[in-house]
C-alpha cells in the first residue's frame, strides 16, 4: 500500500512526486507513455523560470531523476481500471498488477485533439503527425504544413523550419492565439502563414500528398502539395476512465484552490484540471499544492 499514487508523469505528476516524497510519503507514479508528458515533446521551453531556454526532454528528465533520487517508484504501464472513490485508491494496470494507495493525484494531462477529417487516423505515419519534435526530422528537405494558431502550432512551425524545405502555417482566423513573442517570431521567419484557412480534406494514398483548403472568408478552395501535416489544433483532457471524479462539460477535472477534487483523498494537478493557464510552471505549481494536501490528508489518517 502506497501513501499516494500519482497518475501521469508530466511536470505536474513529477513535481507532485518530489513534494510528496519530501513530505515523507511513499509514492508511486503510473505512466502509460514515456515520462515527461507533453513538455518532453516540446523542443525548447523558454518560459520556465531559471532557464532562458531548455529542451523539454532535458527539463523533464531532470524532474524524473529528482523523483528517482527521492525513492519515488515508477510504474510504466496502462491503467486499465482506476477506482478512486473508496478509502483505498485502486489502480489496476495491464501488466504490473494492482496498486493500492491511501490517496491519489490525477495528473494525466491532455492529448492532441484530432481535426476529425476523413482518413486522419489512417494517415498517421503516412504524413499526418501530432508531434513535431518526434517526427520533424523525417521531413528533412520536404514540404510540411502545421494546422492551428496557438503556442504549439507556432512552436512546431518554427521547429520544423529547421528541417523542412517549406513550412506553411494554416490558421482558421486572421490573428494568432500564440503568445506575442512567438507570434512575432513566426511572422518574421520563413514560415508562410495562410490566414482564414481550414483544411477540408487530406489527399493522397497510401501517403499524404496534398491538403484541400478552403478560405473561410472568401469561400475560395485550393490544394496545397505537402509531404506532411502537423496537427496542433488544441488538446483534449485525458480523463477517460476517471469514474466518480467530477468533470466539467469538456472533460477537465474540477478542483478547488487546494487541488482537491470532489472525492476525499483525491487531488488533481496540471493540464487535466479546469484552469486558464496551461504551462509547465503552472503544472508544477499545481503538483506541489496537490502533494502538500495529499501529505496532510495521509497524515490525518495515521
Ligand atoms: P490552443 O492554445 O487551444 O490552440 C489551438 C489552436 O488550434 C487555436 O489557434 C485554434 O484556433 C486552433 N483550432 C482548434 N480547433 C481547430 C479546428 N478544428 N480546425 C482548425 N484550427 C483549430 O492549443 P495549444 O497550442 O496546443 O496549447 C494548449 C495549451 O498549452 C495552451 O494553454 C498553451 O498556451 C499551452 N502551451 C504553451 C506553450 C508555451 O508557453 N511555450 C507551448 C505549447 C503549449 P482559434 O485560435 O481560432 O481558437
Amino acid at each position: 500500500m502506497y501513501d499516494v499514487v500519482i497518475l501521469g508523469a508530466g511536470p505536474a505528476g513529477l513535481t507532485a512526486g518530489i513534494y510528496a516524497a519530501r513530505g515523507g510519503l511513499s509514492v508511486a507514479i503510473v505512466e502509460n507513455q514515456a515520462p515527461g508528458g507533453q513538455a518532453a515533446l516540446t523542443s525548447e521551453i523558454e518560459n520556465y523560470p531559471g532557464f532562458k531556454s531548455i529542451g523539454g526532454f532535458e527539463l523533464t528528465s531532470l524532474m524524473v531523476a529528482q523523483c528517482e533520487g527521492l525513492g519515488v517508484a515508477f510504474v510504466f504501464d496502462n491503467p486499465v481500471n482506476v477506482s478512486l472513490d473508496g478509502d483505498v485508491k485502486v489502480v489496476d494496470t495491464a501488466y504490473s498488477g494492482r496498486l493500492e494507495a491511501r490517496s491519489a493525484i490525477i495528473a494525466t494531462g491532455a492529448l492532441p485533439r484530432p481535426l476529425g477529417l476523413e482518413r486522419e487516423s489512417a494517415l498517421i505515419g503516412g504524413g499526418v503527425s501530432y508531434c513535431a519534435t518526434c517526427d520533424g526530422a523525417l521531413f528533412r528537405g520536404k514540404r510540411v504544413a502545421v494546422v492551428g494558431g496557438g503556442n504549439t502550432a507556432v512552436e512546431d512551425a518554427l521547429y520544423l523550419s529547421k528541417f523542412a524545405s517549406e513550412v506553411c502555417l494554416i490558421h482558421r482566423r486572421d490573428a494568432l492565439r500564440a503568445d506575442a513573442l512567438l507570434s512575432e517570431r513566426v511572422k518574421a521567419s520563413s514560415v508562410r502563414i495562410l490566414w482564414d484557412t481550414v483544411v477540408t480534406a487530406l489527399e493522397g494514398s497510401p501517403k499524404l500528398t496534398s491538403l484541400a483548403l478552403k478560405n473561410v472568408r472568401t469561400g475560395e478552395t485550393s490544394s496545397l502539395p505537402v509531404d506532411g501535416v502537423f496537427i496542433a489544433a488544441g488538446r483534449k483532457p485525458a480523463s477517460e476512465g476517471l469514474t466518480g471524479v467530477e468533470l466539467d462539460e469538456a472533460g477537465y477535472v474540477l478542483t478547488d484552490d487546494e487541488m482537491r477534487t470532489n472525492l476525499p483523498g483525491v487531488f488533481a494537478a496540471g493540464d487535466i484540471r479546469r484552469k486558464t493557464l496551461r504551462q509547465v510552471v503552472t503544472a508544477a505549481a499545481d503538483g506541489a499544492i496537490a502533494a502538500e494536501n495529499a501529505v496532510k490528508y495521509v497524515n490525518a489518517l495515521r
Side-chain angles (χ1 to χ4, degrees):
M1 170 85 79
Y2 287 96
D3 289 323
V4 60
V5 62
I6 299 171
L7 298 168
L14 293 169
T15 307
I18 293 165
Y19 275 73
R22 287 173 59 88
L25 301 192
S26 58
V27 186
I29 301 184
V30 183
E31 169 60 58
N32 63 0
Q33 291 178 25
Q38 301 164 95
L41 305 176
T42 303
S43 56
E44 291 297 322
I45 294 175
E46 296 180 343
N47 51 9
Y48 192 79
F51 298 95
K52 195 171 168 205
S53 175
I54 185 167
F57 181 76
E58 190 187 348
L59 178 62
T60 54
S61 296
L62 291 169
M63 296 180 191
V64 172
Q66 202 170 350
C67 280
E68 285 172 340
L70 289 163
V72 171
F74 282 90
V75 178
F76 292 105
D77 204 338
N78 208 14
V80 286
N81 173 54
V82 176
S83 174
L84 303 178
D85 48 1
D87 289 343
V88 176
K89 317 303 174 192
V90 177
V91 179
D92 290 314
T93 62
Y95 302 103
S96 317
R98 171 168 287 196
L99 280 101
E100 293 183 341
R102 294 178 179 85
S103 66
I105 298 174
I106 303 164
T108 45
L111 301 163
R113 192 168 48 219
L115 285 176
L117 294 169
E118 215 175 301
R119 296 178 55 242
E120 187 173 336
S121 55
L123 282 166
I124 294 172
V128 170
S129 172
Y130 300 88
C131 179
T133 44
C134 318
D135 300 331
L138 303 172
F139 293 87
R140 196 174 290 278
K142 301 204 168 154
R143 296 162 302 184
V144 298
V146 177
V147 181
N151 281 329
T152 305
V154 169
E155 282 184 351
D156 286 358
L158 288 167
Y159 177 73
L160 290 163
S161 66
K162 295 182 201 165
F163 304 98
S165 60
E166 209 177 295
V167 181
C168 258
L169 180 63
I170 301 168
H171 185 36
R172 63 183 177 182
R173 290 191 290 131
D174 62 356
L176 294 170
R177 179 179 291 278
D179 296 348
L181 189 86
L182 280 173
S183 299
E184 289 316 311
R185 204 179 282 171
V186 77
K187 284 177 192 166
S189 75
S190 61
V191 173
R192 183 159 69 101
I193 307 180
L194 298 179
W195 302 104
D196 300 314
T197 302
V198 291
V199 178
T200 54
L202 302 166
E203 299 168 334
S205 182
K207 289 200 165 190
L208 182 75
T209 53
S210 58
L211 303 175
L213 304 180
K214 185 179 174 187
N215 184 302
V216 291
R217 278 188 196 261
T218 63
E220 192 186 326
T221 58
S222 59
S223 178
L224 179 74
V226 290
D227 302 293
V229 63
F230 289 82
I231 295 167
R235 322 253 169 159
K236 56 177 185 178
S239 52
E240 220 173 276
L242 294 179
T243 46
V245 182
E246 203 181 339
L247 308 176
D248 72 2
E249 56 294 338
Y252 290 98
V253 176
L254 297 174
T255 69
D256 64 10
D257 290 349
E258 298 298 318
M259 309 300 142
R260 286 184 285 241
T261 70
N262 59 311
L263 299 177
V266 179
F267 307 86
D271 283 9
I272 188 64
R273 279 181 66 224
R274 182 161 82 176
K275 60 194 272 188
T276 50
L277 187 61
R278 294 194 168 86
Q279 301 279 313
V280 178
V281 70
T282 61
D286 285 1
I289 297 167
E292 277 298 297
N293 285 299
V295 170
K296 283 184 196 155
Y297 176 84
V298 171
N299 284 341
L301 293 178
R302 282 178 177 146

